[in-house]
Amino acid sequence: MPDRFTSAPTLDRITADASTLRRDLRALPVDHAHVLAARITDAQQLASTALRLFLDLAQHASQPSPADLLVLDRVAQIARAAQDAGAELTAALARAVENRRRQAGAESGRVVLVGPSPQQFIESAVDLLDRIPALSQPYPATS
């Protein structure tokens, strides 16, 4: 299985991309659906990069050692966090569009919105992305 130094550039890029996405989400205006859709594709790309790294690492580990399994576990958790963040952002997008539709269709100026707000979904996505840097930290050398 490739060692830490082989996968380090990819993990560094994943961490940097997750940080950029978190920063962008914190500054995101919830009422801009097209911007939110772009952030969803960013989260999906992050998950895709992690899954490609997982495949590359797993391909070289016919008899994985405990250290190899730790690496695979961390990369799988990174992919899951990114995918879950993308799902939360998709839920935020759907809720934002639904809220706009309800407000546009309301005869009175007052609309009661039920459930988590788009911003709550976005905050959940940020929390998921916050896990990625810790998972990308150096791990034991593989054998």
Side-chain angles (χ1 to χ4, degrees):
M1 185 162 169
D3 65 15
R4 164 74 178 132
F5 301 105
T6 304
S7 57
T10 303
L11 286 171
D12 291 345
R13 189 175 80 237
I14 288 169
T15 299
D17 291 348
S19 294
T20 299
L21 181 54
R22 285 189 338 253
R23 185 191 67 235
D24 291 348
L25 288 171
R26 287 187 177 115
L28 179 69
V30 176
D31 60 338
H32 291 23
H34 68 282
V35 175
L36 187 52
R39 298 297 75 82
I40 292 166
T41 61
D42 292 343
Q44 291 171 339
Q45 181 63 39
L46 188 62
S48 178
T49 300
L51 288 171
R52 280 193 305 278
L53 177 60
F54 182 91
L55 287 171
D56 290 346
L57 294 173
Q59 186 176 25
H60 293 92
S62 59
Q63 294 292 327
S65 69
D68 294 340
L69 292 173
L70 175 63
V71 172
L72 290 171
D73 178 61
R74 285 185 177 190
V75 173
Q77 288 183 48
I78 290 168
R80 179 180 177 191
Q83 286 182 327
D84 289 350
E88 289 294 315
L89 295 174
T90 302
L93 176 64
R95 181 58 50 89
V97 171
E98 176 186 0
N99 289 350
R100 284 180 129 181
R101 181 185 55 79
R102 286 183 178 192
Q103 289 170 340
E107 292 185 19
S108 70
R110 191 168 170 94
V111 176
V112 175
L113 303 173
V114 180
S117 70
Q119 188 59 42
Q120 288 170 308
F121 286 114
I122 291 169
E123 289 169 11
S124 177
V126 169
D127 288 344
L128 289 161
L129 293 168
D130 281 340
R131 297 178 187 170
I132 292 175
L135 292 168
S136 299
Q137 290 301 308
Y139 44 83
T142 58
S143 56

